[in-house]
Amino acid sequence: MPALLNGDSEALFAAVLLSLVWATFFFATLITRFARDLVLVLEAVTVAVIVLLVFTEHPTMLPALVVSPLVVGLWKGARGAVLVLALELGAIVLRAIQAGEDADPDVAAAITLWFTAGVGLAMIAIFVHRTSRARDQTLHSYAEARRLLTSVLDLSDELSAGLDPVPMAEHLQGRAIDEIPGCIAAAVSVPVGDQFSPVVDSPATDHSAARQQQLRAAWESKAPVLEGAHFAFALRTDTGPVAVLHGIVRPGSSGVRQALASMELAEATVGLDSALTFARLRERATADERQRLAREVHDGIAQEVATLGYLVDALAARTSDPEQEQGLRSLRQSISRVVGEIRRTVYDLRSENAPPATLGEQLQRLAAHLRATTPLEVTMEIRERVQLDDDVAHHLLRIAQEATHNAVKHARASRLLLEFASSPDGFFLQVSDDGVGLQEAAGDSQGMTIMAERARRIGAELTVRNDGGVTIEVRKQ
């Protein structure tokens, strides 16, 4: 525009030339698919040469210096913008050498001004590029996650054993008992924190500190690890160890190492690895769903039922009929029990994703919740010398929640004892009440079965005593 207003034909020619350069390289970026970075670099070099070295006497062309850093910064980010600015700086140095002592101070100041402006616009372009790229990456990640999840769902329908790790581990357990000479017990365990937790277990298998060390040695080795009557062998895929197959053989049994080395376990191990990965995904999705349900229950039905209780209170305060008043008070007590049950449900749902804490701290929260929402007299005894692994603590907490839930809902108890102890040698959890004892379970009741299954998963023993109340113990030594 300044060239047109001043009638400067040389400057006008320079402006037209720059326009042709930009148009040429723009169409080049549209046509080429594999050399766009090179095209952008050549464009920046060409513009810098035209502005700084050819038309040296026309400072009206200097604003063109900001175009390449801005465009390349938006397109390629920091790396491209820095490269273009370095090329422009090189051209500026060459111009200074060419001009020597005859350099015009006003032109040098204008070059510095527009180069600085190019740096500033390049920084803005880099920020915009990073923001846009982060948003695009997020959308791409979700799209890729959806594609992978859909593939997993489609594939799981074609798998004969599904994606449940327990049946797959049971298959490996059965093969060990059948194919390893003298094998009397076998289990499949996976690492959880610093300890190994069984996917499937056997009452005869040992989970002592010495066995944990043996499992760790097998995990880190490609060969079977034998210690007396105990064997351990890492199940591996191309990506590394997946689980440890371990167990006990009869004294004097021979050929154990050879049998382990010759077992064809590759296909079963890949299946177990896939199932364990899917189980972790399912647990994460379940945790998110539990949080959502907790919010919905707390903000929805819990508030509605609480409001209903307030309405019953208002009706009871206004009635003059003693019989009607007694009926409303009975209704209010029932509503209070329902509200308490809802609060316990919300607590159970949210405790799944509570901030990290030791099991002792979580049990103390459980006791405080019971004192606040039930008439029970709750006694706590905590002797926590070591912090348990997250998986073990999770199963023990769920057992404690189920046991206390039964005491509140079914036992008609007035006192409850919650005791927990942990040491390097093992742990002990006890929940006992002074209620009416165990009653005949409903046909669809699975509470005791699930608690026993959880105890087996962590290598512990669950004992239930029914003597003037119910005592549930979980012990591992």
Side-chain angles (χ1 to χ4, degrees):
M1 183 61 68
L4 291 175
L5 294 176
N6 297 332
D8 189 336
S9 59
E10 189 175 358
L12 180 61
F13 175 70
V16 172
L17 182 59
L18 283 174
S19 300
L20 289 175
V21 168
W22 282 326
T24 300
F25 282 107
F26 173 75
F27 286 111
T29 58
L30 296 180
I31 295 172
T32 183
R33 297 181 57 187
F34 305 105
R36 290 181 177 177
D37 292 353
L38 179 61
V39 171
L40 291 173
V41 170
L42 290 176
E43 177 191 354
V45 171
T46 304
V47 170
V49 168
I50 291 174
V51 172
L52 295 172
L53 300 179
V54 177
F55 296 96
T56 57
E57 303 303 324
H58 297 279
T60 53
M61 298 294 103
L62 292 176
L65 292 175
V66 306
V67 175
S68 294
L70 175 63
V71 173
V72 177
L74 288 172
W75 196 334
K76 292 307 218 179
R79 182 177 298 179
V82 169
L83 177 59
V84 168
L85 289 171
L87 292 172
E88 288 190 350
L89 184 61
I92 292 173
V93 171
L94 289 176
R95 177 190 172 94
I97 294 173
Q98 183 186 53
E101 296 180 356
D102 298 331
D104 187 340
D106 293 335
V107 174
I111 292 175
T112 303
L113 173 65
W114 286 108
F115 179 76
T116 304
V119 173
L121 288 177
M123 294 176 65
I124 295 174
I126 292 169
F127 173 78
V128 173
H129 173 80
R130 287 182 176 177
T131 304
S132 175
R133 187 175 181 182
R135 183 172 60 251
D136 292 342
Q137 286 179 340
T138 300
L139 293 175
H140 175 74
S141 297
Y142 275 109
E144 183 66 11
R146 184 185 183 282
R147 185 187 68 79
L148 292 174
L149 289 172
T150 303
S151 299
V152 169
L153 291 174
D154 293 341
L155 182 60
S156 64
D157 294 335
E158 303 173 7
L159 299 175
S160 57
L163 285 171
D164 186 348
V166 174
M168 296 184 180
E170 288 175 343
H171 170 71
L172 290 164
Q173 180 187 44
R175 286 192 56 185
I177 294 173
D178 293 340
E179 300 179 27
I180 298 175
C183 182
I184 58 176
V188 177
S189 297
V190 295
V192 179
D194 296 331
Q195 301 290 317
F196 281 81
S197 178
V199 180
V200 293
D201 203 3
S202 171
T205 53
D206 182 3
H207 297 277
S208 63
R211 295 287 75 76
Q212 290 288 331
Q213 292 178 1
Q214 183 187 16
L215 298 187
R216 177 61 60 185
W219 180 267
E220 296 172 353
S221 172
K222 294 184 179 181
V225 177
L226 304 181
E227 294 181 2
H230 298 271
F231 68 86
F233 179 67
L235 303 171
R236 295 177 174 273
T237 64
D238 294 339
T239 59
V242 174
V244 176
L245 176 65
H246 59 102
I248 305 172
V249 296
R250 294 186 184 90
S253 299
S254 60
V256 175
R257 189 182 300 274
Q258 292 80 358
L260 284 169
S262 63
M263 291 177 69
E264 296 292 337
L265 301 175
E267 182 178 349
T269 302
V270 170
L272 178 61
D273 187 24
S274 301
L276 290 171
T277 302
F278 186 73
R280 290 193 293 270
L281 174 64
R282 183 174 55 208
E283 288 172 2
R284 182 170 298 181
T286 300
D288 292 341
E289 183 64 10
R290 290 173 70 91
Q291 287 291 80
R292 187 191 68 80
L293 287 174
R295 289 193 300 269
E296 293 295 329
V297 171
H298 179 271
D299 297 338
I301 187 172
Q303 302 297 336
E304 295 292 334
V305 174
T307 301
L308 182 60
Y310 300 146
L311 292 176
V312 172
D313 289 339
L315 291 174
R318 274 184 270 176
T319 185
S320 58
D321 185 344
E323 184 176 351
Q324 187 179 48
E325 182 180 359
Q326 182 60 35
L328 288 171
R329 294 194 182 281
S330 177
L331 176 60
R332 185 63 174 92
Q333 291 175 355
S334 298
I335 292 174
S336 297
R337 284 195 296 271
V338 172
V339 170
E341 187 68 27
I342 292 174
R343 287 175 177 170
R344 282 191 292 275
T345 300
V346 170
Y347 173 82
D348 289 346
L349 289 169
R350 283 182 170 167
S351 65
E352 184 79 16
N353 291 331
T358 67
L359 179 58
E361 293 170 345
Q362 295 182 78
L363 292 174
Q364 288 174 345
R365 293 175 189 169
L366 175 61
H369 178 74
L370 291 171
R371 294 188 186 105
T373 58
T374 72
L376 281 174
E377 179 185 331
V378 181
T379 303
M380 282 285 300
E381 294 183 13
I382 303 291
R383 300 183 299 279
E384 192 172 25
R385 292 175 54 193
V386 299
Q387 183 173 346
L388 301 180
D389 291 325
D390 291 343
D391 188 62
V392 175
H394 164 76
H395 286 294
L396 287 176
L397 177 62
R398 303 305 288 176
I399 291 172
Q401 289 175 337
E402 177 66 23
T404 56
H405 172 79
N406 290 340
V408 172
K409 189 171 183 179
H410 305 296
R412 299 198 293 274
S414 60
R415 290 191 295 274
L416 184 140
L417 171 64
L418 189 55
E419 184 178 0
F420 169 66
S422 65
S423 70
D425 297 326
F427 55 80
F428 169 78
L429 172 69
Q430 176 179 299
V431 179
S432 58
D433 64 67
D434 63 349
V436 298
L438 285 177
Q439 308 298 307
E440 185 176 353
D444 59 349
S445 177
Q446 298 292 320
M448 289 295 178
T449 302
I450 293 173
M451 284 193 289
E453 182 180 315
R454 288 186 181 277
R456 286 195 299 272
R457 288 289 302 274
I458 57 178
E461 181 181 358
L462 183 137
T463 304
V464 180
R465 297 198 305 271
N466 188 17
D467 48 0
V470 177
T471 298
I472 295 177
E473 291 183 358
V474 184
R475 186 185 297 270
K476 180 179 179 181
Q477 291 181 336

